[in-house]
Amino acid sequence: MSNLLISLLIIGLVAGVAGGMFGIGGGAIMVPAMVLLLGMDQKFATGTSVAAQILPIGILAAIVYYRHGNLSIKYASVIALGLIVGNLFGALFANQPYISSETMKKLYGIFLLIIGVRYLFFK
């Protein structure tokens, strides 16, 4: 498996874990990761993220991105695999008795802050 596909799988896993932990959409993680870590174009990363989440919410948006050449079915499929597994692990972790709601709130805040700073101050 190529380095790019491994990176995409890891992005899907991280997005899945955060989705399972925080109940957030995977696109909040996948798009910045594909743009900032893999150097993908913003629209291409958005189209690929939408396709990874296609059932049931993204089908119409994915068709539009696909028609404009801003979607990779292969990349979206690899990310989707990571999302399935990652969501399970995130949910299992978040529901441990030693993980409080307050801890979850702090972890989510840290996550949002890191992404915001990265978008604002780094390429």
Side-chain angles (χ1 to χ4, degrees):
M1 190 181 273
S2 74
N3 287 340
L4 176 60
L5 294 181
I6 291 170
S7 296
L8 291 167
L9 181 59
I10 291 169
I11 288 169
L13 285 168
V14 171
V17 168
M21 288 176 62
F22 305 123
I24 61 171
I29 296 165
M30 291 184 290
V31 172
M34 287 187 279
V35 170
L36 298 172
L37 301 177
L38 301 180
M40 288 186 185
D41 174 76
Q42 183 76 30
K43 286 184 181 181
F44 190 84
T46 301
T48 302
S49 170
V50 167
Q53 303 173 73
I54 204 154
L55 294 175
I57 60 174
I59 187 75
L60 297 177
I63 290 169
V64 172
Y65 278 100
Y66 181 79
R67 286 181 178 164
H68 287 89
N70 290 312
L71 185 152
S72 168
I73 302 250
K74 180 180 179 181
Y75 295 173
S77 298
V78 173
I79 290 172
L81 175 64
L83 282 169
I84 291 167
V85 175
N87 259 278
L88 172 64
F89 289 132
L92 290 171
F93 174 77
N95 287 284
Q96 294 299 310
Y98 55 87
I99 303 295
S100 69
S101 292
E102 190 62 31
T103 299
M104 293 300 295
K105 192 186 297 185
K106 288 178 182 175
L107 288 171
Y108 187 55
I110 290 167
F111 165 75
L112 291 176
L113 182 62
I114 289 169
I115 292 214
V117 166
R118 180 75 195 250
Y119 251 85
L120 290 170
F121 300 110
F122 299 96
K123 282 187 173 181

